[in-house]
Amino acid sequence: MMGPGSGFDVLTAIRDEPLREKYIIVVSATSQASIDKLDDESIFAKLRKPFDVDELLGAVRRCVNV
């Protein structure tokens, strides 16, 4: 578990950074509605915990090859 704050707080901080990269977000959100809040253009892929390692590797490969 994260300390104070949440992954959504991290995403907000990322949005404020001048360097905009593509991110792979791993969430443990309990609802699809929470995941749907992640609609930022810098998010390349959204993986839900527990995720399969091959799913993560596939997302990383697609992200690198864009």
Side-chain angles (χ1 to χ4, degrees):
M1 296 293 287
M2 292 183 65
S6 71
F8 293 107
D9 296 330
V10 172
L11 182 59
T12 299
I14 288 170
R15 287 178 180 152
D16 294 339
E17 288 295 316
L19 180 60
R20 299 285 296 214
E21 298 291 334
K22 296 289 185 184
Y23 300 98
I24 297 172
I25 303 294
V26 179
V27 296
S28 61
T30 57
S31 71
Q32 187 62 42
S34 294
I35 295 171
D36 290 342
K37 287 183 189 178
L38 302 171
D39 61 353
D40 191 273
E41 69 218 20
S42 63
I43 297 175
F44 183 81
K46 303 172 202 174
L47 303 179
R48 190 172 189 172
K49 292 180 187 177
F51 59 88
D52 181 76
V53 173
D54 290 333
E55 180 182 15
L56 174 61
L57 289 174
V60 169
R61 286 184 184 115
R62 288 190 307 276
C63 187
V64 170
N65 290 324
V66 169

